[in-house]
Amino acid sequence: MRETTVGIGAGAQELTSELGTSDMVLNIGPQHPSTHGVLRLKLVLDGERIVAAEPVIGYMHRGAEKLFEARDYRQIIMLANRHDWLSAFANELGVALAVERMLGMEVPERAVWIRTMLAELNRVLNHLMFLGSYPLELGGITPVFHAFHSREELQHVLEEASGGRMHYMFNRVGGLKEDVPAGWLGRVRAAVSAVRSQLPVFEDLVLGNEIFRGRTAGVGVLSAEHVHAYGVSGPIARASGVDFDLRRDEPYLAYGELRDVLTVVTREEGDCLARFECLLEQTANSLDLADACLDRLAELPAGPVNLRLPKVLKAPEGETYAWTENPLGINGYYLVSRGDKTPYRLKLRSASYNNIQALTELLPGTLVADMVAILGSMFFVVGDIDK
């Protein structure tokens, strides 16, 4: 069989094997605009049908895990919040929780509730990006304007509290950088209400669009077996009927007290449409969780939001593992300490790294025309793969 490689640059070549037929090897990326970052897909095609698919990663690799070993426990938070640039608060939170667990710290109650609320607002910001960009990838430009309008409502209040728009650096080992400004909780409530009022736009404009449904229903079906085999998590896994969410099943922060508000959104179909539906419903539930946190914060007396730390912070010798339900799925933090001010090892398990591997199962057998629909529905950030 002969394979013809089609690409741009020096990598384009013709590979010949013993049989006489010809398959095309098509490189999607690493600069292709349909990808969420610098990802390359190597596709083997038989006509318009994909025979095999291989995600080729590493184009953005920064060596973050190695850099963790040369930074102290305060500095690694800055590095860790950047791999998934849509979930910066959630990323830095996971590192803080791992170090606090190693140190046996109990964070002030007010900080716990503010962290929970900000984590859910960050989840909404993440999901709104994909709720807008996914229809855009399928040819619908209008939803992305609505998504960014809603994102700005939340960005304003998050920037007011933290000083940052994307990389908040608001978490600290032992709590938060500082308390929120006076009157801020009321402004957050107004922003949450404004975003909630915009969600029906996605119901009507996107889910009610017969072209969108035709491009996504029954396309890119991911089975529950493959979810388990590849370690897929988050909305993608739940869209395939895997009912697992750390916020409910192994509560951290204040989620144990929010069981009555938290809804784990699932679907059984496992297709592109189900993944989008899960994302939209989960966004609405995150807004409900943020409102519940605001109610609780209104009842709490004024108090500290952090703990006083020594000038040189050293974790005791040992190891621990912390994991969180990040917007894109499960993030894990395996921390090993030898009693120094820097981690001996900090291994990051990012959601997108596992989720994107499932493309090797999803893409074969589908048409090239459906590739972008499937790729976009995986809701990944390439920095989260190439950490």
Side-chain angles (χ1 to χ4, degrees), residues 345-360:
R345 187 77 172 91
L346 178 54
K347 170 65 178 174
L348 172 61
R349 187 266 190 216
S350 59
S352 296
Y353 181 82
N354 284 69
N355 292 355
I356 204 64
Q357 308 307 319
L359 287 172
T360 58

Side-chain angles (χ1 to χ4, degrees), residues 167-381:
H167 304 298
Y168 305 107
M169 278 305 295
F170 200 51
N171 279 288
R172 296 290 186 273
V173 176
L176 299 169
K177 181 178 75 171
E178 58 194 7
D179 206 344
V180 295
W184 184 78
L185 297 179
R187 292 188 285 278
V188 173
R189 195 178 292 277
V192 167
S193 178
V195 174
R196 185 183 284 110
S197 70
Q198 289 292 311
L199 291 185
V201 170
F202 297 96
E203 288 276 358
D204 302 334
L205 197 62
V206 183
L207 290 179
N209 186 290
E210 62 181 34
I211 299 175
F212 179 84
R213 300 187 76 89
R215 291 291 306 275
T216 57
V219 175
V221 177
L222 179 65
S223 68
E225 290 74 21
H226 286 138
V227 167
H228 294 302
Y230 285 89
V232 176
S233 59
I236 300 171
R238 292 191 284 272
S240 296
V242 178
D243 188 5
F244 181 71
D245 191 312
L246 284 175
R247 297 174 296 170
R248 178 198 63 193
D249 301 324
E250 194 170 312
Y252 58 99
L253 294 180
Y255 290 115
E257 299 181 48
L258 294 170
R259 290 182 183 275
D260 295 338
V261 184
L262 175 63
T263 301
V264 179
V265 182
T266 61
R267 290 289 188 278
E268 296 298 327
E269 295 82 2
D271 57 9
C272 297
L273 180 61
R275 291 191 277 274
F276 188 87
E277 289 176 339
C278 279
L279 209 67
L280 182 56
E281 284 193 36
Q282 190 167 286
T283 302
N285 185 241
S286 289
L287 293 172
D288 294 338
L289 288 166
D291 268 339
C293 291
L294 288 168
D295 293 340
R296 183 72 179 95
L297 284 166
E299 300 169 356
L300 286 178
V305 293
N306 49 41
L307 301 174
R308 289 184 63 86
L309 300 177
K311 186 174 181 180
V312 177
L313 181 64
K314 295 183 178 181
E317 188 169 345
E319 59 186 58
T320 191
Y321 184 78
W323 56 348
T324 58
E325 187 68 44
N326 265 40
L328 296 180
I330 292 174
N331 269 28
Y333 305 85
Y334 177 53
L335 173 62
V336 181
S337 170
R338 291 196 169 176
D340 300 322
K341 65 178 182 179
T342 61
Y344 175 71
R345 187 77 172 91
L346 178 54
K347 170 65 178 174
L348 172 61
R349 187 266 190 216
S350 59
S352 296
Y353 181 82
N354 284 69
N355 292 355
I356 204 64
Q357 308 307 319
L359 287 172
T360 58
E361 301 288 347
L362 278 179
L363 291 178
T366 65
L367 298 174
V368 175
D370 291 327
M371 183 271 299
V372 173
I374 297 170
L375 186 65
S377 74
M378 296 305 287
F379 308 134
F380 62 89
V381 170

